Amino acid sequence: MLSRTAESLYWLARYVERAEYLARTIEATLRATALPDAYVGKSNEWESALLTAGIDDIFYKFHEEANERTVVDFLSFSLDNPSSIRNCIENARLNSRSVRTALTSEMWDTINGAWIELHAKWPKGAKTREDLTKFLRFVQETSLRFDGSAYRTMLRNDAYWFSRLGLHLERADNTARILDVKYHVLLPEEEHVGGPLDYYQWTSILRSVSALTAYHWVYRETLKPWLIADLLILNESLPRSLASCYGNLVRNLDQIGVAYGRQGAAQRHARGVRNRLEHAHMDDLFQRGLHEFIQEFIADNARLGDTISKQYLI
């Protein structure tokens, strides 16, 4: 496979996954801000949404205040934000056009149809809360259809494996960032862990990664920070956990290595991160510092992306 084809497939999957994550983040933030002040507390939920998206520096170049109107527009529709949902869909379609023959008809129809619907229904953004809700649901359903069509219709060859690399690398980064914001930024210093503010923030985070029901199935307890961290970091049965993402990254990189007859730095780096996750324990992570662990993971995940690019996409 040509490196530019692999790169387009890789980034196509990343952009679709990123769009869904941003839609879930906005939806969870809207739900949190609808709660009474006694539950929401003094924190600015819209600032935390920017932090989880990793675009707070860019945002403040264009806006003075983080509120519902400015943040929703910047995360959803702004052309000034390279990672806005609109730009993610635009870039996904651009990449899918360049590798049209490597996609199944179902995958192309999903992306092209989403691009057409975006411009037809939301050319200037969402004008009402109801319209915004429809838009966020549209983005999530587009991602689910694209992921499902890829899983059900693609040959298990290098095109599929590079697409999965992009999806799981992006998903791991998103899960790590939202978990880090909760522990390091979101909870005010004077708030006791286990209070109403803590409970609803954790609920919001689990909804952002579609894991609230999964938590209750696995632990059958009220929300506890160490159990939530265990689910999102170490539990490989949760598709969005860090352990699950790296299990998939290693498997897909190994498939590429076998197909091309050569292993490399990307395979070694991914195995190293997976092994650390497999042998980690939550007690040790909390003693060491969860923020420090997640920051190291985010840096390792970014290095894997760079290594994949140098090894296969350049």
Side-chain angles (χ1 to χ4, degrees):
M1 176 180 288
L2 294 174
S3 60
R4 65 175 178 268
T5 302
E7 182 180 27
S8 292
L9 289 165
Y10 170 85
W11 279 105
L12 166 58
R14 288 199 71 163
Y15 283 126
V16 174
E17 181 69 18
R18 188 177 300 175
E20 182 191 359
Y21 168 72
L22 290 171
R24 288 181 178 278
T25 298
I26 295 169
E27 189 177 65
T29 307
L30 287 169
R31 186 179 287 111
T33 55
L35 294 168
D37 290 342
Y39 294 131
V40 176
K42 299 177 182 178
S43 63
N44 186 335
E45 298 290 335
W46 294 108
E47 283 185 355
S48 74
L50 293 172
L51 289 167
T52 59
I55 57 167
D56 48 309
D57 291 341
I58 302 174
F59 174 85
Y60 287 110
K61 292 180 181 178
F62 298 95
H63 299 281
E64 294 182 358
E65 181 184 359
N67 54 43
E68 178 179 336
R69 181 186 62 80
T70 57
V71 174
V72 167
D73 180 73
F74 198 70
L75 291 180
S76 301
F77 304 106
S78 176
L79 297 177
D80 296 320
N81 174 14
S83 294
S84 69
I85 294 173
R86 179 186 294 277
N87 280 333
C88 283
I89 294 175
E90 292 278 0
N91 288 325
R93 184 177 183 269
L94 184 64
N95 279 282
S96 65
R97 286 185 63 189
S98 67
V99 290
R100 176 68 184 85
T101 56
L103 302 177
T104 65
S105 59
E106 291 84 358
M107 296 170 70
W108 165 253
D109 288 345
T110 298
I111 294 300
N112 192 50
W115 181 81
I116 293 171
E117 188 172 351
L118 172 66
H119 286 272
K121 293 185 177 180
W122 298 280
K124 296 182 180 179
K127 299 186 182 302
T128 64
R129 177 68 70 87
E130 181 182 2
D131 199 27
L132 176 61
T133 300
K134 291 179 180 178
F135 170 74
L136 298 177
R137 181 55 51 189
F138 149 76
V139 174
Q140 293 177 53
E141 289 176 353
T142 296
S143 177
L144 291 171
R145 286 200 301 270
F146 179 79
D147 192 42
S149 61
Y151 181 78
R152 286 172 175 260
T153 63
M154 287 189 82
L155 289 172
R156 273 21 179 198
N157 56 14
D158 47 0
Y160 179 80
W161 299 325
F162 277 113
S163 174
R164 297 297 93 180
L165 287 183
L167 181 147
H168 292 295
L169 198 75
E170 183 70 29
R171 184 174 289 177
D173 183 72
N174 294 339
T175 299
R177 287 181 183 278
I178 196 168
L179 186 59
D180 188 44
V181 167
K182 164 58 187 177
Y183 270 96
H184 190 59
V185 177
L186 204 72
L187 189 66
E189 293 180 1
E190 67 270 14
E191 183 69 22
H192 295 294
V193 174
L197 171 58
D198 198 44
Y199 176 85
Y200 282 103
Q201 286 173 340
W202 278 118
T203 300
S204 174
I205 285 168
L206 287 172
R207 288 185 186 277
S208 296
V209 295
S210 193
L212 182 59
T213 300
Y215 175 89
H216 292 298
W217 281 347
V218 172
Y219 301 105
R220 302 186 183 279
E221 294 190 39
T222 58
L223 300 184
K224 296 178 180 178
W226 53 91
L227 294 181
I228 293 171
D230 179 74
L231 179 69
L232 298 185
I233 296 174
L234 303 181
N235 194 319
E236 197 167 353
S237 63
L238 181 74
R240 294 182 183 274
S241 73
L242 306 188
S244 175
C245 288
Y246 264 79
N248 284 297
L249 283 167
V250 169
R251 281 189 286 273
N252 286 293
L253 280 167
D254 284 346
Q255 294 275 20
I256 294 170
V258 170
Y260 291 2
R262 183 169 63 89
Q263 301 284 327
Q267 283 83 2
R268 292 191 295 272
H269 186 84
R271 287 193 203 105
V273 176
R274 184 197 60 182
N275 290 341
R276 288 198 296 275
L277 290 169
E278 285 182 344
H279 294 94
H281 298 280
M282 286 315 303
D283 290 343
D284 296 334
L285 296 187
F286 272 94
Q287 287 180 0
R288 175 186 168 190
L290 195 62
H291 171 64
E292 289 73 16
F293 171 83
I294 296 173
Q295 285 293 304
E296 182 180 341
F297 175 87
I298 291 172
D300 278 337
N301 196 57
R303 278 194 290 271
L304 178 59
D306 292 339
T307 306
I308 290 171
S309 296
K310 292 175 183 177
Q311 188 169 327
Y312 294 113
L313 308 182
I314 295 178

